[in-house]
Coordinates of all heavy atoms in Angstrom, one line a residue:
M21 N 7.0 -4.8 8.1 CA 7.0 -5.2 6.7 C 5.6 -5.4 6.3 O 4.8 -6.0 7.0 CB 7.9 -6.4 6.5 CG 7.9 -6.9 5.1 SD 8.6 -8.5 4.7 CE 10.2 -8.3 5.4
K22 N 5.3 -5.1 5.0 CA 4.0 -5.3 4.4 C 4.1 -6.2 3.2 O 5.1 -6.0 2.5 CB 3.3 -4.0 4.0 CG 3.0 -3.1 5.2 CD 2.4 -1.8 4.7 CE 2.1 -0.8 5.8 NZ 1.5 0.4 5.3
V23 N 3.1 -7.0 3.0 CA 3.1 -7.9 1.8 C 1.8 -7.8 1.1 O 0.7 -7.7 1.8 CB 3.4 -9.4 2.2 CG1 3.1 -10.3 1.0 CG2 4.8 -9.5 2.7
L24 N 1.8 -7.7 -0.2 CA 0.5 -7.7 -1.0 C 0.5 -9.0 -1.8 O 1.4 -9.2 -2.7 CB 0.5 -6.5 -1.9 CG -0.7 -6.4 -2.9 CD1 -2.0 -6.3 -2.1 CD2 -0.6 -5.3 -3.9
L25 N -0.5 -9.8 -1.6 CA -0.8 -11.0 -2.4 C -1.9 -10.7 -3.4 O -3.0 -10.3 -3.0 CB -1.2 -12.1 -1.5 CG -0.3 -12.7 -0.4 CD1 -0.9 -13.7 0.4 CD2 1.0 -13.3 -1.1
A26 N -1.6 -10.9 -4.6 CA -2.6 -10.7 -5.7 C -3.0 -12.1 -6.2 O -2.2 -12.9 -6.6 CB -2.1 -9.9 -6.8
T27 N -4.3 -12.4 -6.0 CA -4.8 -13.8 -6.4 C -6.2 -13.7 -6.9 O -7.0 -12.8 -6.6 CB -4.7 -14.7 -5.2 OG1 -5.2 -16.0 -5.6 CG2 -5.6 -14.2 -4.0
M28 N -6.5 -14.6 -7.8 CA -7.9 -14.8 -8.3 C -8.7 -15.6 -7.4 O -9.9 -15.6 -7.5 CB -7.8 -15.4 -9.7 CG -7.2 -14.6 -10.8 SD -8.3 -13.2 -11.3 CE -9.6 -14.0 -12.0
Y29 N -8.1 -16.4 -6.6 CA -8.8 -17.4 -5.7 C -8.6 -17.0 -4.3 O -7.6 -17.1 -3.7 CB -8.2 -18.8 -6.0 CG -8.2 -19.2 -7.4 CD1 -7.1 -19.1 -8.2 CD2 -9.4 -19.6 -8.0 CE1 -7.2 -19.4 -9.6 CE2 -9.5 -20.0 -9.3 CZ -8.4 -19.9 -10.1 OH -8.4 -20.2 -11.4
W30 N -9.7 -16.6 -3.7 CA -9.8 -16.2 -2.3 C -11.1 -16.6 -1.7 O -12.1 -16.4 -2.4 CB -9.5 -14.7 -2.1 CG -9.3 -14.3 -0.7 CD1 -10.2 -13.6 0.0 CD2 -8.2 -14.5 0.2 NE1 -9.8 -13.4 1.3 CE2 -8.5 -14.0 1.4 CE3 -7.0 -15.2 0.0 CZ2 -7.7 -14.0 2.5 CZ3 -6.2 -15.3 1.1 CH2 -6.5 -14.7 2.3
P31 N -11.2 -17.1 -0.5 CA -12.5 -17.5 0.0 C -13.6 -16.3 -0.1 O -13.2 -15.2 0.1 CB -12.2 -17.8 1.5 CG -10.8 -18.2 1.5 CD -10.2 -17.4 0.4
P32 N -14.8 -16.7 -0.5 CA -15.4 -18.0 -0.5 C -15.2 -18.8 -1.7 O -15.8 -19.8 -1.9 CB -16.9 -17.6 -0.3 CG -17.0 -16.3 -1.0 CD -15.7 -15.6 -0.7
V33 N -14.3 -18.3 -2.7 CA -14.0 -19.1 -3.9 C -13.2 -20.3 -3.4 O -12.3 -20.2 -2.6 CB -13.2 -18.2 -4.9 CG1 -12.7 -19.1 -6.0 CG2 -14.1 -17.1 -5.4
G34 N -13.6 -21.4 -4.0 CA -12.9 -22.7 -3.7 C -12.1 -23.2 -4.8 O -11.7 -22.4 -5.7
G35 N -11.9 -24.5 -4.9 CA -11.1 -25.1 -6.0 C -9.7 -25.3 -5.6 O -9.2 -25.0 -4.5
G36 N -8.9 -25.7 -6.6 CA -7.5 -26.0 -6.4 C -6.6 -24.8 -6.2 O -5.5 -24.9 -5.6
G37 N -7.0 -23.6 -6.6 CA -6.1 -22.4 -6.4 C -6.3 -21.7 -5.1 O -5.5 -20.8 -4.8
A38 N -7.3 -22.0 -4.3 CA -7.6 -21.2 -3.1 C -6.7 -21.5 -1.9 O -6.3 -20.6 -1.2 CB -9.0 -21.3 -2.8
P39 N -6.3 -22.8 -1.7 CA -5.6 -23.1 -0.5 C -4.2 -22.4 -0.3 O -3.8 -22.0 0.7 CB -5.4 -24.6 -0.5 CG -6.6 -25.1 -1.3 CD -6.8 -24.0 -2.3
R40 N -3.5 -22.3 -1.4 CA -2.1 -21.8 -1.3 C -2.1 -20.3 -0.9 O -1.4 -20.0 0.1 CB -1.4 -21.9 -2.7 CG 0.1 -21.5 -2.6 CD 0.8 -21.9 -3.8 NE 0.8 -23.3 -3.9 CZ 1.9 -24.1 -4.2 NH1 3.0 -23.5 -4.4 NH2 1.8 -25.3 -4.3
P41 N -2.8 -19.4 -1.5 CA -2.7 -18.0 -1.0 C -3.4 -17.9 0.4 O -3.0 -17.1 1.2 CB -3.5 -17.2 -2.0 CG -4.3 -18.2 -2.8 CD -3.5 -19.5 -2.8
L42 N -4.4 -18.7 0.7 CA -5.0 -18.7 2.0 C -4.0 -19.1 3.1 O -3.9 -18.5 4.1 CB -6.2 -19.6 2.0 CG -7.0 -19.7 3.3 CD1 -7.5 -18.3 3.7 CD2 -8.1 -20.7 3.2
K43 N -3.3 -20.2 2.9 CA -2.3 -20.6 3.8 C -1.2 -19.6 4.0 O -0.7 -19.3 5.1 CB -1.7 -22.0 3.4 CG -2.6 -23.1 3.5 CD -2.9 -23.5 5.0 CE -3.7 -24.7 5.1 NZ -4.1 -25.0 6.4
M44 N -0.7 -19.0 2.9 CA 0.3 -18.0 3.0 C -0.2 -16.8 3.8 O 0.6 -16.3 4.7 CB 0.7 -17.6 1.6 CG 2.0 -16.7 1.6 SD 2.5 -16.2 -0.1 CE 2.9 -17.8 -0.8
A45 N -1.4 -16.4 3.5 CA -1.9 -15.2 4.3 C -2.2 -15.6 5.7 O -2.3 -14.7 6.6 CB -3.2 -14.8 3.6
T46 N -2.4 -16.8 6.0 CA -2.7 -17.3 7.4 C -1.4 -17.2 8.2 O -1.4 -16.7 9.4 CB -3.2 -18.7 7.4 OG1 -4.4 -18.7 6.7 CG2 -3.5 -19.2 8.8
Y47 N -0.3 -17.6 7.7 CA 1.0 -17.7 8.5 C 1.8 -16.4 8.4 O 2.6 -16.2 9.3 CB 1.8 -18.9 8.0 CG 1.0 -20.2 8.3 CD1 0.6 -21.0 7.3 CD2 0.8 -20.5 9.6 CE1 -0.1 -22.2 7.6 CE2 0.1 -21.7 9.9 CZ -0.3 -22.5 8.9 OH -1.0 -23.7 9.2
L48 N 1.7 -15.6 7.4 CA 2.5 -14.3 7.4 C 2.2 -13.4 8.6 O 3.2 -12.9 9.2 CB 2.2 -13.6 6.1 CG 2.9 -14.2 4.9 CD1 2.5 -13.5 3.6 CD2 4.4 -14.3 5.0
P49 N 1.0 -13.2 9.0 CA 0.8 -12.3 10.2 C 1.4 -12.9 11.5 O 1.8 -12.1 12.3 CB -0.8 -12.2 10.3 CG -1.3 -12.5 9.0 CD -0.3 -13.5 8.4
E50 N 1.5 -14.2 11.6 CA 2.2 -14.8 12.7 C 3.6 -14.4 12.8 O 4.2 -14.5 13.9 CB 2.0 -16.3 12.7 CG 0.6 -16.8 12.9 CD 0.4 -18.3 12.8 OE1 1.5 -19.0 12.7 OE2 -0.7 -18.8 12.8
L51 N 4.2 -14.1 11.7 CA 5.6 -13.7 11.6 C 5.8 -12.2 11.7 O 6.9 -11.6 11.6 CB 6.2 -14.1 10.3 CG 6.2 -15.6 10.0 CD1 6.7 -16.0 8.6 CD2 7.1 -16.3 11.0
G52 N 4.7 -11.5 12.0 CA 4.7 -10.0 12.2 C 4.6 -9.2 10.9 O 5.0 -8.1 10.8
I53 N 4.2 -9.9 9.8 CA 4.1 -9.2 8.5 C 2.7 -8.8 8.3 O 1.7 -9.6 8.3 CB 4.6 -10.2 7.4 CG1 6.0 -10.6 7.6 CG2 4.4 -9.6 6.0 CD1 6.5 -11.7 6.8
E54 N 2.5 -7.5 8.0 CA 1.1 -7.0 7.7 C 0.8 -7.5 6.3 O 1.5 -7.2 5.3 CB 1.1 -5.5 7.7 CG -0.2 -4.9 7.5 CD -0.2 -3.4 7.6 OE1 0.6 -2.8 8.4 OE2 -0.9 -2.7 6.8
T55 N -0.3 -8.2 6.2 CA -0.7 -8.9 4.9 C -1.9 -8.3 4.3 O -3.0 -8.2 4.9 CB -0.9 -10.4 5.2 OG1 0.2 -10.9 5.8 CG2 -1.1 -11.1 3.9
H56 N -1.8 -7.9 3.0 CA -2.9 -7.4 2.2 C -3.1 -8.3 1.1 O -2.2 -8.9 0.5 CB -2.6 -6.0 1.7 CG -2.4 -5.0 2.7 ND1 -3.4 -4.0 3.1 CD2 -1.3 -4.7 3.6 CE1 -2.9 -3.3 4.0 NE2 -1.7 -3.7 4.3
V57 N -4.4 -8.6 0.7 CA -4.7 -9.5 -0.4 C -5.6 -8.7 -1.4 O -6.6 -8.1 -1.0 CB -5.5 -10.7 0.1 CG1 -5.8 -11.7 -1.0 CG2 -4.6 -11.5 1.2
L58 N -5.2 -8.8 -2.7 CA -5.9 -8.1 -3.7 C -6.7 -9.2 -4.5 O -6.1 -10.2 -5.0 CB -4.9 -7.4 -4.7 CG -5.5 -6.6 -5.8 CD1 -6.3 -5.5 -5.3 CD2 -4.4 -6.1 -6.7
V59 N -8.0 -9.1 -4.5 CA -8.8 -10.1 -5.1 C -9.9 -9.5 -6.0 O -10.2 -8.3 -5.9 CB -9.6 -11.0 -4.0 CG1 -8.6 -11.7 -3.2 CG2 -10.5 -10.1 -3.2
P60 N -10.4 -10.2 -7.0 CA -11.5 -9.7 -7.9 C -12.8 -9.6 -7.1 O -13.1 -10.5 -6.3 CB -11.6 -10.7 -9.0 CG -11.0 -12.0 -8.5 CD -10.0 -11.6 -7.5
S61 N -13.6 -8.6 -7.3 CA -14.8 -8.5 -6.6 C -15.9 -9.3 -7.2 O -16.9 -9.7 -6.5 CB -15.3 -7.0 -6.6 OG -15.4 -6.6 -7.9
D62 N -15.8 -9.7 -8.4 CA -16.8 -10.5 -9.1 C -16.3 -11.9 -9.3 O -15.6 -12.2 -10.2 CB -17.2 -9.9 -10.4 CG -18.3 -10.7 -11.1 OD1 -19.1 -11.4 -10.4 OD2 -18.4 -10.6 -12.3
A63 N -16.7 -12.8 -8.4 CA -16.2 -14.2 -8.5 C -17.4 -15.2 -8.8 O -17.4 -16.3 -8.3 CB -15.6 -14.6 -7.1
K64 N -18.4 -14.7 -9.5 CA -19.5 -15.5 -9.8 C -19.2 -16.7 -10.6 O -19.9 -17.7 -10.5 CB -20.6 -14.6 -10.6 CG -21.1 -13.5 -9.7 CD -22.1 -12.7 -10.5 CE -22.5 -11.5 -9.8 NZ -23.2 -10.5 -10.6
R65 N -18.2 -16.7 -11.4 CA -17.9 -17.8 -12.3 C -17.1 -18.9 -11.6 O -16.8 -19.9 -12.1 CB -17.2 -17.3 -13.5 CG -15.9 -16.6 -13.2 CD -15.3 -16.1 -14.5 NE -14.2 -15.2 -14.2 CZ -12.9 -15.6 -14.0 NH1 -12.6 -16.8 -14.0 NH2 -12.0 -14.7 -13.8
M66 N -16.7 -18.6 -10.4 CA -15.8 -19.5 -9.6 C -16.6 -20.4 -8.7 O -17.7 -20.1 -8.3 CB -14.9 -18.7 -8.7 CG -14.0 -17.7 -9.5 SD -12.7 -18.6 -10.4 CE -11.8 -17.2 -11.0
H67 N -16.1 -21.6 -8.4 CA -16.6 -22.5 -7.5 C -16.6 -22.0 -6.1 O -15.7 -21.3 -5.6 CB -15.8 -23.8 -7.5 CG -16.2 -24.8 -6.5 ND1 -17.4 -25.5 -6.5 CD2 -15.6 -25.2 -5.3 CE1 -17.4 -26.3 -5.5 NE2 -16.3 -26.1 -4.7
R68 N -17.7 -22.1 -5.3 CA -17.8 -21.6 -4.0 C -17.6 -22.7 -2.9 O -18.1 -23.8 -3.0 CB -19.2 -21.0 -3.8 CG -19.4 -20.3 -2.4 CD -20.7 -19.6 -2.4 NE -20.9 -19.0 -1.1 CZ -20.6 -17.7 -0.8 NH1 -20.0 -17.0 -1.7 NH2 -20.8 -17.2 0.4
D69 N -16.7 -22.4 -1.9 CA -16.4 -23.3 -0.8 C -16.5 -22.6 0.5 O -15.6 -21.8 0.8 CB -15.1 -23.9 -1.0 CG -14.8 -25.0 0.0 OD1 -15.6 -25.3 0.9 OD2 -13.7 -25.6 -0.1
D70 N -17.6 -22.7 1.2 CA -17.8 -22.0 2.5 C -17.0 -22.6 3.6 O -16.9 -22.0 4.7 CB -19.3 -22.0 2.9 CG -20.1 -21.1 1.9 OD1 -19.6 -20.1 1.5 OD2 -21.2 -21.5 1.6
S71 N -16.3 -23.7 3.4 CA -15.5 -24.2 4.5 C -14.1 -23.5 4.7 O -13.5 -23.6 5.7 CB -15.2 -25.7 4.3 OG -14.4 -25.9 3.2
L72 N -13.7 -22.8 3.6 CA -12.5 -22.0 3.7 C -12.8 -20.7 4.4 O -13.6 -19.9 3.9 CB -12.0 -21.7 2.2 CG -11.6 -22.9 1.4 CD1 -11.2 -22.5 0.0 CD2 -10.4 -23.7 2.1
V73 N -12.0 -20.4 5.4 CA -12.3 -19.2 6.2 C -11.0 -18.4 6.2 O -9.9 -18.8 6.7 CB -12.7 -19.5 7.7 CG1 -12.9 -18.3 8.5 CG2 -13.9 -20.4 7.6
P74 N -11.0 -17.1 5.8 CA -9.8 -16.3 5.8 C -9.5 -15.8 7.2 O -10.4 -15.6 8.0 CB -10.1 -15.1 4.9 CG -11.6 -15.1 4.8 CD -12.1 -16.5 5.1
P75 N -8.2 -15.6 7.5 CA -7.9 -15.1 8.8 C -8.3 -13.7 9.0 O -8.3 -12.9 8.1 CB -6.3 -15.2 8.8 CG -5.9 -15.3 7.4 CD -7.1 -15.8 6.7
P76 N -8.7 -13.3 10.2 CA -9.2 -11.9 10.5 C -8.1 -10.9 10.4 O -8.4 -9.7 10.2 CB -9.8 -12.0 11.9 CG -9.2 -13.2 12.5 CD -8.8 -14.1 11.4
E77 N -6.8 -11.2 10.5 CA -5.8 -10.2 10.5 C -5.5 -9.7 9.1 O -4.8 -8.7 9.0 CB -4.5 -10.8 11.1 CG -4.6 -11.4 12.5 CD -5.0 -12.9 12.4 OE1 -4.8 -13.6 11.4 OE2 -5.5 -13.4 13.4
V78 N -5.9 -10.4 8.1 CA -5.6 -10.1 6.7 C -6.5 -9.0 6.2 O -7.7 -9.0 6.5 CB -5.7 -11.3 5.8 CG1 -5.6 -11.0 4.4 CG2 -4.7 -12.4 6.2
I79 N -6.0 -8.0 5.5 CA -6.7 -6.9 5.0 C -7.0 -7.2 3.5 O -6.0 -7.4 2.7 CB -6.0 -5.6 5.1 CG1 -5.7 -5.3 6.6 CG2 -6.8 -4.4 4.5 CD1 -4.6 -4.3 6.8
V80 N -8.3 -7.3 3.1 CA -8.6 -7.7 1.8 C -9.1 -6.5 1.0 O -9.9 -5.7 1.4 CB -9.8 -8.8 1.8 CG1 -10.2 -9.1 0.4 CG2 -9.3 -10.0 2.6
H81 N -8.5 -6.3 -0.2 CA -8.8 -5.2 -1.1 C -9.5 -5.9 -2.4 O -8.8 -6.7 -3.0 CB -7.6 -4.4 -1.5 CG -6.8 -3.9 -0.4 ND1 -7.1 -2.7 0.2 CD2 -5.8 -4.4 0.3 CE1 -6.3 -2.5 1.2 NE2 -5.4 -3.5 1.3
E82 N -10.7 -5.5 -2.7 CA -11.3 -6.0 -3.9 C -11.1 -5.0 -5.0 O -11.2 -3.8 -4.9 CB -12.8 -6.2 -3.6 CG -13.1 -7.3 -2.6 CD -14.6 -7.6 -2.5 OE1 -15.4 -6.9 -3.1 OE2 -14.9 -8.6 -1.8
T83 N -10.9 -5.6 -6.2 CA -10.8 -4.8 -7.4 C -11.7 -5.3 -8.5 O -12.1 -6.4 -8.5 CB -9.3 -4.8 -7.9 OG1 -9.2 -4.0 -9.1 CG2 -8.9 -6.2 -8.3
R84 N -12.1 -4.4 -9.4 CA -13.1 -4.7 -10.4 C -12.5 -5.7 -11.4 O -13.2 -6.5 -12.0 CB -13.6 -3.5 -11.0 CG -14.9 -3.7 -11.8 CD -15.4 -2.4 -12.4 NE -14.3 -1.8 -13.2 CZ -14.4 -0.9 -14.0 NH1 -15.6 -0.3 -14.2 NH2 -13.4 -0.4 -14.7
N85 N -11.3 -5.4 -11.8 CA -10.7 -6.2 -12.9 C -9.3 -6.6 -12.4 O -8.5 -5.7 -12.1 CB -10.6 -5.5 -14.2 CG -10.1 -6.3 -15.3 OD1 -9.9 -7.5 -15.2 ND2 -9.8 -5.7 -16.4
L86 N -9.0 -7.9 -12.4 CA -7.6 -8.3 -12.0 C -7.1 -9.2 -13.2 O -7.2 -10.4 -13.2 CB -7.7 -9.1 -10.7 CG -6.4 -9.6 -10.1 CD1 -5.7 -8.4 -9.6 CD2 -6.6 -10.6 -9.0
G87 N -6.5 -8.5 -14.1 CA -5.9 -9.3 -15.3 C -6.3 -8.6 -16.6 O -7.0 -7.6 -16.7
P88 N -5.7 -9.2 -17.6 CA -5.9 -8.6 -19.0 C -7.4 -8.8 -19.5 O -8.1 -9.7 -19.0 CB -4.9 -9.4 -19.8 CG -4.7 -10.7 -19.1 CD -4.9 -10.4 -17.7
R89 N -7.7 -8.0 -20.5 CA -9.0 -8.2 -21.1 C -9.1 -9.5 -21.8 O -8.1 -10.0 -22.3 CB -9.3 -7.1 -22.0 CG -9.6 -5.8 -21.3 CD -9.9 -4.7 -22.3 NE -10.8 -5.1 -23.3 CZ -11.1 -4.4 -24.4 NH1 -10.6 -3.2 -24.5 NH2 -11.9 -4.8 -25.3
V90 N -10.3 -10.0 -22.0 CA -10.4 -11.3 -22.8 C -10.2 -11.0 -24.3 O -10.7 -10.0 -24.8 CB -11.9 -11.8 -22.6 CG1 -12.1 -13.0 -23.5 CG2 -12.1 -12.1 -21.2
H91 N -9.4 -11.8 -24.9 CA -9.0 -11.6 -26.3 C -10.1 -12.2 -27.2 O -10.4 -13.4 -27.1 CB -7.7 -12.3 -26.6 CG -7.2 -12.2 -28.0 ND1 -6.8 -11.1 -28.6 CD2 -7.1 -13.2 -28.9 CE1 -6.5 -11.3 -29.8 NE2 -6.7 -12.6 -30.1
R92 N -10.7 -11.3 -28.0 CA -11.8 -11.8 -28.8 C -11.5 -11.4 -30.3 O -11.7 -10.3 -30.8 CB -13.1 -11.1 -28.4 CG -13.6 -11.5 -27.1 CD -14.9 -11.0 -26.7 NE -15.3 -11.4 -25.4 CZ -16.1 -10.8 -24.6 NH1 -16.6 -9.7 -25.0 NH2 -16.4 -11.3 -23.4
P93 N -10.9 -12.4 -31.0 CA -10.5 -12.1 -32.4 C -11.6 -11.7 -33.3 O -11.4 -10.8 -34.2 CB -9.9 -13.5 -32.9 CG -9.7 -14.3 -31.6 CD -10.6 -13.8 -30.6
Q94 N -12.8 -12.2 -33.2 CA -13.9 -11.8 -34.1 C -14.2 -10.3 -33.9 O -14.6 -9.6 -34.9 CB -15.2 -12.7 -33.9 CG -15.9 -12.4 -32.6 CD -15.4 -13.2 -31.4 OE1 -14.3 -13.7 -31.4 NE2 -16.2 -13.3 -30.4
V95 N -14.2 -9.8 -32.7 CA -14.5 -8.4 -32.4 C -13.3 -7.5 -33.0 O -13.6 -6.5 -33.6 CB -14.6 -8.1 -30.9 CG1 -14.8 -6.6 -30.7 CG2 -15.8 -8.8 -30.4
E96 N -12.1 -7.9 -32.9 CA -11.0 -7.2 -33.4 C -11.0 -7.1 -34.9 O -10.7 -6.1 -35.5 CB -9.7 -7.8 -32.9 CG -9.4 -7.6 -31.4 CD -8.2 -8.4 -31.0 OE1 -7.4 -8.9 -31.8 OE2 -8.0 -8.4 -29.7
L97 N -11.4 -8.3 -35.6 CA -11.5 -8.3 -37.0 C -12.6 -7.4 -37.5 O -12.5 -6.7 -38.5 CB -11.7 -9.7 -37.5 CG -10.5 -10.6 -37.5 CD1 -10.9 -12.0 -37.8 CD2 -9.5 -10.1 -38.5
R98 N -13.7 -7.4 -36.8 CA -14.9 -6.5 -37.2 C -14.5 -5.1 -37.1 O -14.8 -4.3 -38.0 CB -16.1 -6.9 -36.3 CG -17.4 -6.3 -36.9 CD -18.6 -6.7 -36.0 NE -18.7 -8.2 -35.9 CZ -18.9 -8.8 -34.7 NH1 -19.0 -8.1 -33.6 NH2 -18.9 -10.1 -34.7
Q99 N -13.8 -4.7 -36.1 CA -13.3 -3.3 -35.9 C -12.3 -2.9 -36.9 O -12.3 -1.8 -37.4 CB -12.8 -3.1 -34.5 CG -13.8 -3.2 -33.4 CD -13.2 -3.1 -32.0 OE1 -12.0 -3.2 -31.9 NE2 -14.0 -3.0 -31.0
A100 N -11.4 -3.8 -37.3 CA -10.4 -3.5 -38.3 C -10.9 -3.4 -39.7 O -10.4 -2.6 -40.5 CB -9.3 -4.6 -38.2
H101 N -11.9 -4.2 -40.0 CA -12.4 -4.2 -41.4 C -13.8 -3.6 -41.6 O -14.3 -3.6 -42.7 CB -12.4 -5.7 -41.9 CG -11.0 -6.3 -41.9 ND1 -10.1 -5.9 -42.8 CD2 -10.5 -7.2 -41.2 CE1 -9.0 -6.6 -42.6 NE2 -9.2 -7.4 -41.6
G102 N -14.4 -3.2 -40.5 CA -15.7 -2.5 -40.6 C -16.7 -3.5 -40.8 O -17.7 -3.8 -41.0

C-alpha cells in the first residue's frame, strides 16, 4: 500500500503544524506502508526547526505551489475596471 501526505509543514520547517505529519510519516513505514510526502519547495516564510528530523524511509516530493493563489482584491478590481 502507498500513502501520499500533502502538508505545508515538513522539516526543516517547525512550528505547531510540523509534528503531526512528521509522526504519521514516521510510523507508517513501520506498518509496511510506502509513504510519500508532498511539500512546498519554498518554505522561506516558515519558522525553521533543525531538531525535527524526517525518517529516511519517507520519499519527499517538492512542489512549487501547494494551494490556491493569494486573493488580492485590489488587483482584481484594477483588472476589471482598467
Side-chain angles (χ1 to χ4, degrees):
M21 178 189 305
K22 296 180 183 181
V23 169
L24 174 66
L25 296 173
T27 180
M28 290 291 291
Y29 304 99
W30 187 255
V33 171
R40 184 169 299 222
L42 180 60
K43 289 289 185 184
M44 189 178 296
T46 300
Y47 295 115
L48 286 175
E50 293 177 6
L51 299 171
I53 299 171
E54 183 178 325
T55 307
H56 297 258
V57 181
L58 184 64
V59 298
S61 60
D62 183 22
K64 293 177 187 169
R65 59 185 169 83
M66 305 284 188
H67 171 72
R68 185 175 178 88
D69 185 358
D70 291 322
S71 68
L72 298 175
V73 180
E77 305 89 22
V78 174
I79 302 163
V80 178
H81 305 275
E82 292 186 354
T83 183
R84 194 178 58 165
N85 184 8
L86 186 69
R89 289 181 44 188
V90 176
H91 179 68
R92 295 186 179 154
Q94 72 275 17
V95 173
E96 292 175 8
L97 284 171
R98 195 175 306 133
Q99 290 172 350
H101 299 291

